[in-house]
Amino acid sequence: MRFFRLLTPFLLVIVAVLCFAPAAWAFCGFYVAKADTKLYNKASQVVIAREDERTVMTMANDFQGEVKDFAIVIPVPTVLQKEQVRVVEPKIIQRLDAFSAPRLVEYFDSDPCLAINNSSGMDAAPAPAARSQEAEKRGDRSLGVTIEARFNVGEYDILILSAKESGGLETWLQRNGYKIPRGAKQLLQPYIRSSMKFFVAKVNLDKFEKSGYQFLRPLQISYQSPKFMLPIRLGMINATKEQDLIVYILSPQGQAEISNYRTVKIPSDANIPLFVKDEFGEFYKSMFQTAYTKEDRKVGFLEYAWDMGSCDPCSADPLTPEELKQAGVFWLDDNSASDVPVRPGFRRSFSSNNVFISRLHVRYTRDKFPEDLIFQQTANTESFQGRYVLQHPFQGELKCQAGREYKRSLPKRFEQEAQTLAKLTNWNIQDIRNKMNLSVGNLRYSWWENFLSWLGLY
C-alpha cells in the first residue's frame, strides 16, 4: 500500500490551486488507502469487455490447493475454438482492482483566519485410466454428450461440451475425473435447456511445470452472443457460506448494471473519524456487510463507475491502452491515448479512449441469488466511486473571531463523524467516541466546552 505525504510547501500550493479553482474536478483530496479484493479471504474476479454482442471475458483463478486438482466447468453461449481462448497475466486484473477500489481520502482544513473564499469453480478427482478414443466416443454418445472442441491453451487442457440432458452430463463429468457434488444435475439442466455449451478446463501438469509459473494464470475467452450474462449457480454447489464476486465491466457506452437484480450504489462521500485511517479495511468490510444486510442480501453494489481515461483522486494510474487491450478491450484505436505517465492522485484525460468501467460487487448465496447474473449496458456516464473522507482540523493558532467560531464548531463535527461511522458500520457509538481523540494538536477542549458545543450554546 502506498501513502503519499503532503508535507512539502510545493504540494500544498498545488492542493490550494486545485481545490479552490472552478475547474471541472469531481473531487479534490488525496488518496491514502483503498479497499481492494485483498480484504476478502476468497473473492472471485471477472472482467467483461463488451460492445454490441461481442464479449471478451477474463476469469481470475482464486483456486487454493494442488494444481493437479484444479478444474472448472463454465456454461458458455456458443462453441469456442482455440483462437477464442487464451491466458493472460494476473497483473491486468490486479491493475483493474487497484484502479477501481473504494478509497479513503484526506483533506486538511485551511486557516479560518485567512480571508480565503473557499467555494468548494468445481473440484476434480485424479484422472481415470485412459480409454481408447473410439470407446470414449461411444460412451459419450450413449450419455448424450458431444465433445465439440478439444485443444490446449498455455497450461490448460480445454474441452467444449454439449449435452442433451443433465444426468448424462453429470455422469460424463464423473467418469472423466470430475467430482460432481449433490445438486449438480438440477443446476446443469437449465443451461442444457437453453442450448448452452460447457467450457471445461484442467491443468496440463507437464506444461505448467515447464512454464515456471507459481500460480495459475487467468483464462480469457472471446465470443459473440446476445446473452450478456455471468453464470454463478454452478459455483454455489459446494458453497457453505456467502461468496464475494467482483465484476469489472468495460464498455464504450457507460455504466453497466444487473438487470435481474437491483443494482444500488455503495454508501459513499461520508466524513468519518480520523482513526479509521489505521482501520480502513475493517471499516469497509463492516460497512459493506451493513449495507448488504440492509438491502436484504439480494442486490449488486456499484463500487465504481468512471471514464477509464481519468480518475480523481487516483488510487492507481489509469490503465494504458496496451493494458486495456490485455483486459479485453477490442474497440480501441491504436492512437486513442497517450502513454505519458502522471503523478498518482492527479487526473489524466484521454481524448478518445472510449472505455467506461463499472465495478460491481455481489455477495451471494443460493437462496438469495437463484438466477445467474444478467447485465445491461446504459448510456449513463455519471462518475461514481466509493469514497470516504478524513477531514483534518487546522492545527495553528486561532486568534480571530472566525477562528474562535471554527473551534467551537469542531466538537459538533466530530460527533457527527462518530454518528456517521456508527450508522455505516453498526459499530458501538461509545466505542467510537472513545477511539476519537478530541484533543487534536493544540486544539484542546474542556469537558464543559464539549458539552455546551454539542448543545449549540458555545
Side-chain angles (χ1 to χ4, degrees):
M1 186 178 296
R2 298 181 60 190
F3 293 85
F4 305 102
R5 302 184 183 277
L6 315 176
L7 301 180
T8 66
F10 174 72
L11 285 180
L12 290 177
V13 170
I14 292 177
V15 175
V17 171
L18 295 181
C19 289
F20 301 146
W25 284 64
F27 308 114
C28 61
F30 286 83
Y31 149 76
V32 293
K34 62 178 180 291
D36 56 22
T37 56
K38 297 183 183 70
L39 288 181
Y40 309 101
N41 292 330
K42 194 174 179 67
S44 300
Q45 297 180 80
V46 177
V47 183
I48 303 176
R50 184 172 172 93
E51 182 189 40
D52 297 326
E53 294 186 353
R54 296 171 294 174
T55 300
V56 178
M57 181 184 297
T58 308
M59 299 160 287
N61 292 319
D62 57 358
F63 176 75
Q64 299 174 1
E66 296 290 333
V67 293
K68 66 181 178 62
D69 297 327
F70 171 84
I72 56 174
V73 179
I74 302 169
V76 290
T78 186
V79 173
L80 303 177
Q81 303 302 321
K82 182 174 182 177
E83 295 74 20
Q84 294 172 264
V85 184
R86 70 188 192 107
V87 291
V88 297
E89 296 301 320
K91 183 179 178 181
I92 197 63
I93 297 181
Q94 295 165 6
R95 287 280 286 118
L96 286 167
D97 180 27
F99 176 78
S100 62
R103 62 212 60 194
L104 186 66
V105 297
E106 285 184 323
Y107 293 84
F108 293 82
D109 288 350
S110 59
D111 185 347
C113 293
L114 295 180
I116 296 179
N117 181 23
N118 181 4
S119 59
S120 52
M122 291 182 187
D123 291 338
R131 298 181 290 165
S132 70
Q133 288 192 359
E134 187 56 38
E136 184 177 345
K137 289 180 180 177
R138 287 197 303 269
D140 296 344
R141 286 195 295 267
S142 68
L143 295 172
V145 176
T146 301
I147 299 177
E148 304 284 356
R150 183 202 304 263
F151 49 86
N152 172 268
V153 176
E155 60 266 36
Y156 297 97
D157 290 330
I158 310 294
L159 293 177
I160 309 298
L161 307 178
S162 61
K164 294 181 178 179
E165 53 96 10
S166 59
L169 180 58
E170 182 180 32
T171 300
W172 188 96
L173 291 168
Q174 290 171 339
R175 286 183 181 178
N176 285 270
Y178 294 85
K179 290 181 179 178
I180 304 301
R182 291 181 180 178
K185 179 178 178 180
Q186 177 185 356
L187 292 176
L188 289 168
Q189 186 60 43
Y191 300 115
I192 294 173
R193 281 201 303 265
S194 59
S195 300
M196 294 190 73
K197 313 305 178 186
F198 296 89
F199 177 94
V200 181
K202 283 186 179 182
V203 176
N204 184 307
L205 294 177
D206 290 337
K207 290 182 178 294
F208 179 71
E209 291 173 1
K210 291 177 182 178
S211 72
Y213 289 103
Q214 299 297 313
F215 302 98
L216 295 174
R217 292 178 292 172
L219 278 162
Q220 186 176 89
I221 60 176
S222 305
Y223 59 89
Q224 185 163 340
S225 171
K227 296 178 180 179
F228 188 12
M229 54 88 70
L230 183 64
I232 62 172
R233 285 176 292 174
L234 285 179
M236 300 182 195
I237 297 175
N238 286 323
T240 58
K241 56 183 180 180
E242 299 162 342
Q243 299 182 70
D244 283 284
L245 169 66
I246 310 293
V247 185
Y248 312 92
I249 298 181
L250 305 176
S251 167
Q253 293 177 250
Q255 283 186 27
E257 59 189 21
I258 304 170
S259 61
N260 56 333
Y261 298 98
R262 286 195 304 122
T263 303
V264 300
K265 293 178 178 177
I266 197 73
S268 182
D269 287 330
N271 282 60
I272 54 180
L274 299 180
F275 76 83
V276 175
K277 182 175 181 177
D278 297 323
E279 303 179 17
F280 185 53
E282 291 305 311
F283 156 76
Y284 192 80
K285 286 192 290 187
S286 296
M287 189 274 298
F288 187 90
Q289 180 66 33
T290 300
Y292 168 71
T293 303
K294 180 180 178 182
E295 298 290 348
D296 196 26
R297 296 177 168 87
K298 52 184 178 183
V299 301
F301 286 100
L302 181 70
E303 290 185 324
Y304 192 83
W306 211 286
D307 184 318
M308 199 70 214
S310 62
C311 52
D312 181 17
C314 295
S315 60
D317 279 342
L319 275 68
T320 66
E322 181 58 36
E323 288 176 318
L324 288 171
K325 290 178 181 179
Q326 292 174 26
V329 177
F330 52 87
W331 58 86
L332 273 185
D333 189 319
D334 288 338
N335 298 317
S336 61
S338 171
D339 287 329
V340 177
V342 294
R343 183 190 302 274
F346 289 80
R347 183 182 178 115
R348 171 171 64 182
S349 180
F350 297 159
S351 59
S352 58
N353 214 15
N354 202 28
V355 181
F356 197 94
I357 180 172
S358 303
R359 176 187 174 117
L360 298 169
H361 186 165
V362 180
R363 179 168 290 172
Y364 62 95
T365 57
R366 190 168 176 177
D367 60 328
K368 294 294 186 178
F369 282 79
E371 300 176 357
D372 291 324
L373 301 181
I374 308 297
F375 302 106
Q376 65 182 13
Q377 293 171 310
T378 75
N380 180 10
T381 57
E382 175 189 4
S383 296
F384 173 79
Q385 60 182 293
R387 171 179 171 273
Y388 310 93
V389 180
L390 305 179
Q391 188 82 31
H392 291 265
F394 178 70
Q395 298 290 307
E397 291 188 85
L398 299 171
K399 295 184 177 180
C400 66
Q401 179 61 30
R404 288 189 288 272
E405 292 175 359
Y406 167 81
K407 181 179 177 179
R408 286 195 293 268
S409 73
L410 287 176
K412 272 189 175 181
R413 186 174 102 184
F414 296 150
E415 175 63 14
Q416 181 58 57
E417 291 172 354
Q419 295 283 353
T420 298
L421 182 59
K423 182 178 179 180
L424 288 173
T425 62
N426 271 337
W427 289 353
N428 181 275
I429 184 64
Q430 195 55 51
D431 291 342
I432 293 172
R433 290 174 182 145
N434 292 340
K435 282 188 173 184
M436 295 175 69
N437 182 4
L438 297 185
S439 296
V440 182
N442 64 351
L443 295 174
R444 302 187 182 277
Y445 307 97
S446 67
W447 66 268
W448 57 267
E449 285 179 309
N450 289 333
F451 176 67
L452 293 178
S453 291
W454 286 330
L455 294 176
L457 302 177
Y458 178 73

